[in-house]
Amino acid sequence: KTTPTTTTTTISKLTEEQEEEEVVEKEEEEEEEEKEKGSESNNNHKDGTNVKSTNKKKAKVKIPPMQSMSQHRSALQEATLAILKIPTLPPRCLKLILQHLPSKILPNATNPLRFADFCTRAYDMGGVTSLLALNSLFVLMTQCGLEYKKFYPSLYNLIEPKIFYVKYRTRFFKLLSKCLTANQMLP
């Protein structure tokens, strides 16, 4: 059973809490005003003139709700494919894209097989570009089911004495051992 005294004490506790919240809010507002006044006093020039700050309280901007992850992934895929279609893409950019393609772009793309044409063209170029494209092709073949019949002949063509002096040789030899010692034959 509740008595009238207990209900009045709970009501008085509620009003005390509300009053405390209002006091805290007023103190926060006063602190913000003091900060604004302090920034105005900092706007004094050396010649003694005072420049008023035009910074007024900004209205809170509502942030749109988070889009779905699939929308972000498809936007990443389309943006990357648009960059790859640039005909005069510098070799330095091409190498940078090929370095990050298997680790950062392909796992987040909605349809990674759309990058297969680019990877096969880069793999057929030869040289360092082929070494970097090898990793992307390996990911597409093992995880996405890409069939590339010229994979092993071109892989064997990459093994030349000059490969021992290339910057990315450790990456190449790790991938070479993965390709040749895989339990399942690559397509």
Side-chain angles (χ1 to χ4, degrees), residues 1-14:
K1 292 181 179 178
T2 59
T3 61
T5 55
T6 57
T7 55
T8 55
T9 54
T10 55
I11 292 173
S12 63
K13 285 181 184 178
L14 287 176

Side-chain angles (χ1 to χ4, degrees), residues 5 14 30 37 59 68 95 107 110 138 141 152 155 157 166 184-185:
T5 55
L14 287 176
E30 289 173 1
K37 288 179 183 178
S68 69
K95 290 176 187 176
T110 54
F138 183 75
M141 291 171 71
Y152 282 111
L155 178 66
N157 288 335
V166 177
Q184 59 187 12
M185 289 295 291

Side-chain angles (χ1 to χ4, degrees), residues 138 152 174-186:
F138 183 75
Y152 282 111
K174 286 179 185 177
L175 279 169
L176 181 66
S177 66
K178 277 185 185 178
C179 293
L180 297 178
T181 61
N183 291 340
Q184 59 187 12
M185 289 295 291
L186 295 174

Side-chain angles (χ1 to χ4, degrees), residues 62-80:
K62 291 186 179 180
I63 300 173
M66 177 73 175
Q67 295 177 345
S68 69
M69 189 61 86
S70 63
Q71 289 175 335
H72 287 286
R73 288 181 176 181
S74 63
L76 170 72
Q77 176 177 315
E78 294 305 317
T80 309

Side-chain angles (χ1 to χ4, degrees), residues 24-140:
V24 170
E25 287 177 4
K26 287 180 183 178
E27 289 175 355
E28 289 175 355
E29 288 176 4
E30 289 173 1
E31 287 176 5
E32 288 178 13
E33 289 175 6
E34 288 176 13
K35 287 180 185 177
E36 287 178 8
K37 288 179 183 178
S39 67
E40 286 179 7
S41 64
N42 291 339
N43 290 336
N44 290 337
H45 287 283
K46 292 179 183 177
D47 62 354
T49 58
N50 186 4
V51 178
K52 289 187 179 180
S53 172
T54 58
N55 294 341
K56 295 183 179 180
K57 284 188 178 181
K58 295 180 180 177
K60 292 184 180 180
V61 179
K62 291 186 179 180
I63 300 173
M66 177 73 175
Q67 295 177 345
S68 69
M69 189 61 86
S70 63
Q71 289 175 335
H72 287 286
R73 288 181 176 181
S74 63
L76 170 72
Q77 176 177 315
E78 294 305 317
T80 309
L81 288 170
I83 291 171
L84 296 177
K85 288 179 182 177
I86 298 173
T88 58
L89 193 65
R92 194 171 103 201
C93 293
L94 180 67
K95 290 176 187 176
L96 189 64
I97 290 171
L98 284 170
Q99 285 177 1
H100 295 292
L101 192 66
S103 61
K104 296 182 180 174
I105 298 171
L106 290 179
N108 295 315
T110 54
N111 186 6
L113 289 176
R114 289 190 62 193
F115 293 93
D117 289 336
F118 169 74
C119 292
T120 54
R121 275 187 273 120
Y123 191 62
D124 292 337
M125 284 182 183
V128 177
T129 310
S130 307
L131 297 178
L132 295 172
L134 176 67
N135 195 2
S136 300
L137 274 176
F138 183 75
V139 168
L140 288 173

